[in-house]
Amino acid sequence: MQDNLEFLQWTKRFWDQYYPGGDYDAIARRKGSGAPTAGGPPVAAARTSGAGPARRGTTPTGTAAAAVRPARTPGAGASSVLTQENTQLKETVTGLERERDFYFSKLRDIELLLQQAVEADPEIEKDEDGLVKRIQAILYSTEEGFEIPAEAEDGAQEDLETF
């Protein structure tokens, strides 16, 4: 679902960026590509001679789209602003990753302490309303729709790529 949405957003952006406006002349496009035409030139003249406003939602011609392209390229000033923003976002991500790792290590330490306590006294885990059971419930709880990744045969988790 997300991929479809992203594709539609990309398609709209591409259309908005390269559509020159104006009527679509199918006959002229066919003549330019060498494809056989269904009608003769009088049909093309009848279709393109309308004095009405330009219709939206038509396919652009190749030459007009190429003429629009150079006018929309960003300048050097925009590039430096984007570079600064990119650098700032990378620093933010680095800080967030450090914070994530910090809290993960705290939770892992708590988990190890609980495991050591259960190994030392297995009876504390059998009490359903005990502190150990409640802490384990918090540590191992998941959100709605979250799936625990499958583990590889050697016990290590596989590197999964998402697209």
Side-chain angles (χ1 to χ4, degrees):
M1 185 71 166
Q2 181 67 26
D3 293 338
N4 292 339
L5 177 63
E6 290 174 6
F7 177 73
L8 289 174
Q9 289 171 340
W10 177 87
T11 305
K12 183 186 183 316
R13 184 178 183 315
F14 183 85
W15 179 263
D16 291 342
Q17 184 175 3
Y18 294 112
Y19 177 66
D23 287 333
Y24 176 69
D25 186 8
I27 304 301
R29 295 281 295 188
R30 287 187 199 115
K31 287 181 181 177
S33 67
T37 59
V43 175
R47 286 186 180 170
T48 59
S49 65
R55 293 185 326 229
R56 297 286 304 172
T58 59
T59 306
T61 60
T63 57
V68 173
R69 188 176 303 163
R72 295 187 183 242
T73 56
S79 178
S80 65
V81 169
L82 291 175
T83 303
Q84 287 176 340
E85 183 179 353
N86 192 19
T87 304
Q88 179 186 8
L89 290 174
K90 284 181 180 180
E91 290 172 359
T92 303
V93 167
T94 303
L96 290 173
E97 287 175 346
R98 261 190 265 129
E99 185 177 0
R100 177 203 61 196
D101 294 342
F102 172 77
Y103 287 112
F104 177 80
S105 68
K106 294 290 183 186
L107 289 172
R108 182 69 180 138
D109 291 343
I110 293 170
E111 181 182 31
L112 291 175
L113 285 173
L114 284 174
Q115 287 175 356
Q116 290 171 358
V118 169
E119 287 175 4
D121 185 14
E123 295 296 320
I124 63 172
E125 191 176 29
K126 293 180 182 176
D127 185 17
E128 292 297 322
D129 289 333
L131 180 63
V132 172
K133 280 290 188 183
R134 289 190 288 175
I135 293 174
Q136 286 176 340
I138 292 171
L139 284 175
Y140 300 124
S141 67
T142 59
E143 293 182 6
E144 180 85 21
F146 177 78
E147 294 181 17
I148 298 174
E151 293 184 5
E153 293 180 7
D154 62 353
Q157 288 186 341
E158 298 178 36
D159 291 334
L160 301 175
E161 292 184 7
T162 57
F163 296 101

